[in-house]
Amino acid sequence: MLIVLLGPPGAGKGTQAERIVNDHNLAYISTGDILRTAVKEDTPLGSKAREYMDQGQLVPDHLVVEIVRERLQEPDCSKGALLDGFPRTVDQAIFLDQMLPDISQKVDQVLLINVDEEELVERLTGRRVCSDCGANYHVKYNPPAVRNVCDQCGGDLYQRDDDSLETVKERLEVYKKQTEPLVKFYQDKGIISYIDGNKNIGEVFDQINSALNSL
Ligand code: AP5
């Protein structure tokens, strides 16, 4: 089973992904996480990706598709995978469709999480992430028990560089121009489920579970 999580920055894709992969026993592929690790470790990929990410722009397709091609061939993906943040352009989606038959997979369902724009800005500028385990928090909606300390591993929480107000606005524009066309692409294939991401985290997960259990 291959599931794609689609939605604007801050829609809650990462938050829901953690729950989905646990409940449905799927491998997790987040291109954003893979790119951030490459930036942190200052690999050749990271040094190319950094300038785009810092400006809220998409990393060029040819770099991202190679990451996904390699990741999908790892053994844990044979049980199925959840793709978070990929594809993000129609060209990436076409690439995915072309490579999946090689590993006997197809995109089974696309979960489109939509959230009002004002709420997206509030969620992103208030997000905090654990520097050790990557767990996600929000200063208001999902705070840790102790301020700036991860509940799961005790690591320090930090604000992502691309969560400044200016970069968040740019990311939302990039989503509208480059990623929204994917909605029609998957609508035409009849595999989109619409999730109202304005609800609380548990209610959003309930909608996702209903969609996945109807597969
Ligand atoms: P990526 O890391 O994929 O970022 P994104 O898509 O912009 O999404 P976010 O991680 O910001 O948000 P999310 O939807 O996961 O929300 P979250 O669950 O954290 O990509 C980063 C960059 O990498 C891109 O800009 C690009 O440069 C590059 N990149 C990545 N993939 C690429 C690709 N395929 N092609 C090219 N470039 C690529 O939630 C946000 C906050 O809200 C959290 O604080 C959370 O606690 C809170 N929250 C979540 N759900 C709720 C809720 N229901 N109610 C209240 N609060 C909530």
Side-chain angles (χ1 to χ4, degrees), residues 195-207:
I195 308 295
D196 178 1
N198 292 294
K199 311 268 187 209
N200 70 40
I201 293 172
E203 288 170 332
V204 175
F205 187 54
D206 289 343
Q207 294 175 61

Side-chain angles (χ1 to χ4, degrees), residues 30-103:
S30 157
T31 43
D33 283 355
I34 295 170
L35 289 166
R36 271 185 294 282
T37 302
V39 168
K40 196 171 162 189
E41 293 173 354
D42 205 18
T43 64
L45 168 68
S47 60
K48 284 181 201 144
R50 184 194 308 267
E51 57 179 304
Y52 298 97
M53 296 173 79
D54 283 351
Q55 290 168 23
Q57 301 296 322
L58 296 186
V59 174
D61 287 345
H62 70 277
L63 294 176
V64 181
V65 298
E66 273 318 305
I67 297 174
V68 175
R69 187 200 304 275
E70 282 176 24
R71 179 68 184 90
L72 275 171
Q73 280 161 2
E74 286 176 24
D76 64 325
C77 292
S78 61
K79 64 185 178 187
L82 178 72
L83 284 165
D84 168 3
F86 183 93
R88 230 167 167 114
T89 62
V90 171
D91 282 349
Q92 290 180 13
I94 292 170
F95 155 82
L96 185 64
D97 282 350
Q98 286 169 348
M99 73 154 297
L100 286 178
D102 294 346
I103 53 165

Side-chain angles (χ1 to χ4, degrees), residues 10 13-15 31 36 57 85 88 127 136-137 171 199:
K13 301 182 297 296
T15 302
T31 43
R36 271 185 294 282
Q57 301 296 322
R88 230 167 167 114
R127 171 167 52 190
N136 251 336
Y137 296 88
R171 286 163 64 200
K199 311 268 187 209

Side-chain angles (χ1 to χ4, degrees), residues 6-211:
L6 185 61
K13 301 182 297 296
T15 302
Q16 297 299 330
E18 198 183 324
R19 293 163 172 78
I20 298 168
V21 295
N22 286 336
D23 272 32
H24 295 268
N25 191 29
L26 296 169
Y28 179 46
I29 305 178
S30 157
T31 43
D33 283 355
I34 295 170
L35 289 166
R36 271 185 294 282
T37 302
V39 168
K40 196 171 162 189
E41 293 173 354
D42 205 18
T43 64
L45 168 68
S47 60
K48 284 181 201 144
R50 184 194 308 267
E51 57 179 304
Y52 298 97
M53 296 173 79
D54 283 351
Q55 290 168 23
Q57 301 296 322
L58 296 186
V59 174
D61 287 345
H62 70 277
L63 294 176
V64 181
V65 298
E66 273 318 305
I67 297 174
V68 175
R69 187 200 304 275
E70 282 176 24
R71 179 68 184 90
L72 275 171
Q73 280 161 2
E74 286 176 24
D76 64 325
C77 292
S78 61
K79 64 185 178 187
L82 178 72
L83 284 165
D84 168 3
F86 183 93
R88 230 167 167 114
T89 62
V90 171
D91 282 349
Q92 290 180 13
I94 292 170
F95 155 82
L96 185 64
D97 282 350
Q98 286 169 348
M99 73 154 297
L100 286 178
D102 294 346
I103 53 165
S104 308
Q105 297 267 17
K106 66 176 173 56
V107 176
D108 292 286
Q109 195 163 20
V110 176
L111 300 167
L112 172 62
I113 308 181
N114 270 319
V115 174
D116 299 337
E117 187 157 328
E118 209 176 295
E119 172 74 9
L120 291 172
V121 172
E122 173 142 17
R123 285 190 191 178
L124 288 170
T125 52
R127 171 167 52 190
R128 298 293 180 270
V129 183
C130 176
S131 52
D132 288 342
C133 73
N136 251 336
Y137 296 88
H138 189 277
V139 289
K140 192 162 124 194
Y141 301 131
N142 183 23
V146 178
R147 194 167 174 265
N148 285 334
V149 178
C150 179
D151 291 344
Q152 294 179 29
C153 75
D156 293 333
L157 305 189
Y158 74 100
Q159 183 171 31
R160 267 170 50 173
D161 290 342
D162 60 351
D163 279 347
S164 66
L165 183 57
E166 191 188 348
T167 311
V168 162
K169 286 185 173 163
E170 184 58 31
R171 286 163 64 200
L172 291 171
E173 283 309 306
V174 166
Y175 176 80
K176 283 180 204 156
K177 285 194 194 118
Q178 294 181 257
T179 306
E180 263 182 2
L182 269 180
V183 174
K184 174 151 189 343
F185 180 89
Y186 284 122
Q187 256 168 358
D188 290 348
K189 291 176 181 282
I191 54 172
I192 283 204
S193 294
Y194 297 87
I195 308 295
D196 178 1
N198 292 294
K199 311 268 187 209
N200 70 40
I201 293 172
E203 288 170 332
V204 175
F205 187 54
D206 289 343
Q207 294 175 61
I208 288 175
N209 261 339
S210 302

